[in-house]
Amino acid sequence: MTDKIPGPELPDRDDHRLPPPRFAYDGRTWKEIAHLLANLPMALLGFVYVVTVLFTSAFLTVTVIGFPLLAAGLMGSRQLGKLERARARKLLAVRVDEPSPLPLRGPGGFFPQLWMMLKDPVGWRTILYDFIRLPWGVLTFAVTLTSLFVLWPVLPFIARGLANADRAMVRGLLSPSDELERRIAELESDRGVVVDTAAADLRRIERDLHDGAQARLVHLAMGLGLAREKLLEDPDYAAAMVEEAHGEVKLALQELRDLARGIHPAVLTDRGLDAALSAVASRWVKVTVDLERRPAEAIEGIAYFTVSELLQNVSKHSGATSASVEVWRTEQRLLIQVGDNGRGGAGLDGGTGMRGLAERLDAVDGLFVIESPVGGPTLVTAELPWRDRQARRA
């Protein structure tokens, strides 16, 4: 038996094997190199297009076709920008959203649409991008191609630096404005809400007229027709029918007044929010309106109907014994707070009423916030943009 010579123990497996052979450049690096080499032909295409469009349209502005030609050139530059964004997404892994298309099929006619194309910021930024890309494309093509044969050990670092500069150009000139795109999306959504709300209001008015005042007027016409037939045969019966018709006229007038008050109450037009809210509030509702002057009619109407519907919800669902309404102005905002000591638990998901109010206020850049824990109390805050009332023309 031989003695074991002391020394460091070797591991059971061999950890000293060489790593398997692989390419020195990964897929991301090769994509960046391909993008840099393609910069030159793309830059030549864009530069030739921009110079041709700008010089030709500038020369022809003395004629009637100069500005339409420039507008068409700007629309074509949008397509070049779309191609560059697709190339950047594919080779540089840059997430660049497509800008919103111009609403050219809307109303307005030829000249408003021409002006819209001429002041298109996306087209002009693409023109600028293509104009400044030619020297950059020559530089990146020359440096990348030379580095492939001479500086290939450090080419990944060179390619990464040049590609990062390309990423910055794409994001800076070819990306849509995030704030502008968000605003466009909000306005499109708000426009749909306004249209739906207006359609619902029209249906409500039509239904109220058909089921209420119209039905009473039809009954009134029939009663007066019978009274006319009985006028000579039975004057007493005819007089009774005329008396009944007179009552129907009063009821029809009252219903028409109520309908008109629901569209826009006369007290709101004549005396403002303070008087209108005091008229709609019950005795157990405290109303405080602190406004030095009246807002625009549209804002005043929205504020009135917001408070009116909130107070209806309080009386129907909250079980409250007291409530308060406060209206005031701070800077360029009209603030409304409606509170009650009811059971609470109100929310936007509790029904269509609150959600409809929130959508209406959002359609005019307003806010709608509900604080209503279970057990109460409830505090609803609404904000509207302040707009000054325009003087009425004589």
Side-chain angles (χ1 to χ4, degrees):
M1 183 176 179
T2 59
D3 296 334
K4 184 177 181 182
I5 300 175
E9 295 185 0
L10 296 177
D12 295 337
R13 58 185 180 88
D14 187 6
D15 286 341
H16 300 282
R17 291 179 300 175
L18 294 176
R22 61 182 178 86
F23 290 108
Y25 302 155
D26 57 8
R28 181 179 179 183
T29 302
W30 282 116
K31 287 183 178 181
E32 291 175 345
I33 293 172
H35 184 276
L36 296 172
L37 292 176
N39 273 348
L40 180 58
M42 292 300 300
L44 284 172
L45 174 64
F47 186 81
V48 171
Y49 178 85
V50 168
V51 171
T52 303
V53 168
L54 289 182
F55 278 91
T56 304
S57 58
F59 179 75
L60 293 175
T61 48
V62 295
T63 67
V64 294
I65 64 172
F67 289 108
L69 182 61
L70 178 58
L74 289 172
M75 294 300 294
S77 69
R78 274 181 163 250
Q79 300 305 313
L80 289 178
K82 183 177 181 180
L83 179 61
E84 287 288 351
R85 283 187 291 271
R87 188 166 70 100
R89 283 193 293 265
K90 184 69 174 178
L91 299 178
L92 298 182
V94 177
R95 177 174 176 80
V96 185
D97 295 329
E98 294 295 327
S100 299
L102 293 178
L104 298 179
R105 296 186 177 181
F110 173 74
F111 289 104
Q113 292 179 0
L114 177 63
W115 176 243
M116 183 187 306
M117 290 188 286
L118 288 176
K119 64 188 182 75
D120 177 25
V122 175
W124 283 111
R125 282 191 280 116
T126 307
I127 289 285
L128 177 61
Y129 177 86
D130 289 327
F131 187 77
I132 66 175
R133 289 286 291 180
L134 182 59
W136 176 253
V138 173
L139 175 65
T140 56
F141 179 84
V143 171
T144 305
L145 187 62
T146 304
S147 301
L148 274 173
F149 299 98
V150 179
L151 301 175
W152 57 267
V154 293
L155 178 57
F157 304 99
I158 296 175
R160 183 60 47 83
L162 296 176
N164 286 339
D166 261 332
R167 291 183 177 96
M169 289 186 194
V170 171
R171 290 192 182 100
L173 294 176
L174 296 184
S175 294
S177 172
D178 293 339
E179 183 65 21
L180 180 60
E181 292 295 315
R182 182 189 64 81
R183 185 64 181 149
I184 289 174
E186 287 182 355
L187 290 176
E188 290 178 349
S189 176
D190 294 344
R191 180 180 60 185
V193 172
V194 171
V195 171
D196 293 341
T197 302
D201 290 340
L202 288 175
R203 288 194 299 269
R204 177 182 60 81
I205 294 171
E206 181 183 5
R207 184 179 63 251
D208 292 344
L209 285 173
H210 182 271
D211 297 341
Q214 180 179 343
R216 290 193 179 278
L217 291 175
V218 170
H219 183 67
L220 171 63
M222 294 175 61
L224 289 176
L226 292 175
R228 183 180 60 183
E229 294 177 359
K230 297 290 185 180
L231 184 60
L232 298 177
E233 299 178 6
D234 191 351
D236 294 336
Y237 182 74
M241 296 190 68
V242 169
E243 183 68 23
E244 182 181 354
H246 185 257
E248 290 289 335
V249 169
K250 290 182 178 180
L251 291 176
L253 288 174
Q254 183 61 40
E255 289 183 356
L256 289 174
R257 289 194 191 99
D258 294 339
L259 181 61
R261 188 179 298 112
I263 298 173
H264 197 85
V267 65
L268 178 63
T269 302
D270 298 337
R271 300 173 57 190
L273 272 175
D274 194 356
L277 296 180
S278 299
V280 77
S282 302
R283 290 180 300 173
W284 47 275
V285 179
K286 180 181 178 182
V287 178
T288 305
V289 178
D290 184 14
L291 296 176
E292 295 181 357
R293 59 180 183 269
R294 296 174 63 178
E297 294 180 359
I299 300 299
E300 192 176 59
I302 294 174
Y304 170 81
F305 287 110
T306 299
V307 175
S308 178
E309 188 156 346
L310 287 174
L311 290 180
Q312 289 183 16
N313 289 336
V314 169
S315 62
K316 290 180 180 179
H317 308 297
S318 71
T321 58
S322 66
S324 63
V325 177
E326 297 183 35
V327 182
W328 72 98
R329 177 188 177 183
T330 173
E331 296 180 353
Q332 294 301 312
R333 306 291 285 182
L334 177 66
L335 277 80
I336 303 168
Q337 280 193 342
V338 178
D340 66 76
N341 63 348
R343 64 176 65 94
L348 296 179
D349 54 351
T352 58
M354 291 291 192
R355 188 165 59 251
L357 284 177
E359 291 176 350
R360 288 194 183 192
L361 266 67
D362 185 64
V364 293
D365 285 340
L367 294 175
F368 189 78
V369 181
I370 301 176
E371 299 177 14
S372 182
V374 177
T378 296
L379 181 65
V380 179
T381 303
E383 286 189 20
L384 288 167
W386 179 273
R387 292 204 299 269
D388 291 325
R389 178 178 289 258
Q390 301 295 326
R392 291 180 177 268
R393 295 183 179 180

